């Protein structure tokens, strides 16, 4: 059986989210604390699913369009 490994990450680190959204570290953690950006921890590492970042951006676009 062949195992397929994707190179696209399914979850991002906080610094990667900072880069993707062009936000500061404290703003990213504020979004996580306020539940606007879902995340999880694995050990001491905090991860944000890629889909959560996309969903956050889509919500912000819709809010600004209204």
């Amino acid at each position: 059986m062949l195992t397929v490994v994707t190179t696209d990450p399914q979850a991002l680190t906080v610094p990667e989210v900072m880069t993707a959204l062009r936000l500061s570290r404290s703003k990213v953690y504020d979004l996580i604390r306020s539940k606007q950006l879902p995340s999880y921890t694995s050990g001491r590492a905090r991860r944000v699913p890629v889909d959560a970042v996309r969903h956050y951006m889509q919500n912000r676009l819709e809010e600004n369009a209204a």
Side-chain angles (χ1 to χ4, degrees):
M1 179 184 290
L2 179 63
T3 303
V4 177
V5 178
T6 62
T7 57
D8 294 334
Q10 297 300 307
L12 303 173
T13 63
V14 170
E16 290 170 334
V17 174
M18 291 167 50
T19 300
L21 297 177
R22 306 295 194 263
L23 296 173
S24 69
R25 177 183 168 101
S26 60
K27 182 61 178 175
V28 172
Y29 278 110
D30 286 344
L31 293 171
I32 291 169
R33 264 191 298 281
S34 66
K35 308 288 189 210
Q36 294 180 55
L37 192 60
S39 69
Y40 65 92
T41 56
S42 179
R44 293 182 60 192
R46 169 112 9 223
R47 297 289 184 259
V48 178
V50 172
D51 289 339
V53 174
R54 289 186 184 123
H55 186 71
Y56 172 78
M57 289 190 299
Q58 186 62 39
N59 286 344
R60 295 296 299 168
L61 287 170
E62 289 171 2
E63 286 174 10
N64 288 331

